[in-house]
Amino acid sequence: MTSKAVSKSKAPPQLSNQDIQQNFNSYTQDLKAIASKIGELEQEADEHALVLTTLNEALAKNPDRQCFRLIGGVLVERTVKDVVPALTTNRDGIRQVVANLTEQYKSKEKEFDAFKEHYKITPVA
């Protein structure tokens, strides 16, 4: 194949106006959904951090102090020294998921920008 044939095969197919509109709406909805999930998880990580701040103070003074934790809708009694490592692991896991979603958002946004550029879509003021 020549380089012209290769470059033409990589170009996205020409879509009808209705298909372009559907793809545009799909990209917009996907980006909003990812952003919403990122916000939700960031809030949850902040709540974990707040609880950990409080529990770390209790851990320093009295590691055997009882505390309660909600696990799968069931309230269980544990000690502070048992709960702090689990909460730390959960918070770190949430932060990792947020980082992954942020990368996914950036990737989807680049894909959307390329789509808008290819079909010459510009925002209307």
Side-chain angles (χ1 to χ4, degrees):
M1 275 190 179
T2 64
S3 62
K4 274 188 175 182
V6 170
S7 64
K8 283 185 179 181
S9 65
K10 290 184 180 180
Q14 287 298 325
L15 302 174
S16 68
N17 287 342
Q18 185 177 6
D19 290 338
I20 293 171
Q21 178 84 36
Q22 287 175 344
N23 286 352
F24 183 88
N25 291 339
S26 176
Y27 277 120
T28 304
Q29 288 173 352
D30 289 347
L31 288 172
K32 284 181 183 178
I34 294 170
S36 173
K37 192 63 174 177
I38 289 171
E40 179 184 321
L41 290 173
E42 283 178 340
Q43 182 178 2
E44 193 170 324
D46 290 344
E47 290 172 1
H48 275 68
L50 180 62
V51 171
L52 280 169
T53 301
T54 304
L55 288 180
N56 281 330
E57 293 172 10
L59 183 62
K61 294 178 184 174
N62 185 5
D64 292 323
R65 180 178 173 180
Q66 75 175 11
C67 66
F68 294 91
R69 182 171 178 219
L70 191 63
I71 301 175
V74 177
L75 196 60
V76 294
E77 184 178 348
R78 300 275 189 241
T79 61
V80 173
K81 67 182 178 187
D82 295 334
V83 172
V84 169
L87 281 177
T88 303
T89 302
N90 287 353
R91 182 201 58 202
D92 294 344
I94 292 169
R95 287 182 176 168
Q96 183 62 42
V97 170
V98 168
N100 291 343
L101 283 173
T102 302
E103 286 300 316
Q104 184 180 352
Y105 183 89
K106 289 177 184 177
S107 157
K108 191 69 148 179
E109 192 173 39
K110 285 180 185 177
E111 191 178 316
F112 186 37
D113 288 341
F115 173 81
K116 289 191 294 188
E117 184 179 321
H118 181 266
Y119 291 104
K120 296 176 178 51
I121 299 172
T122 55
V124 179

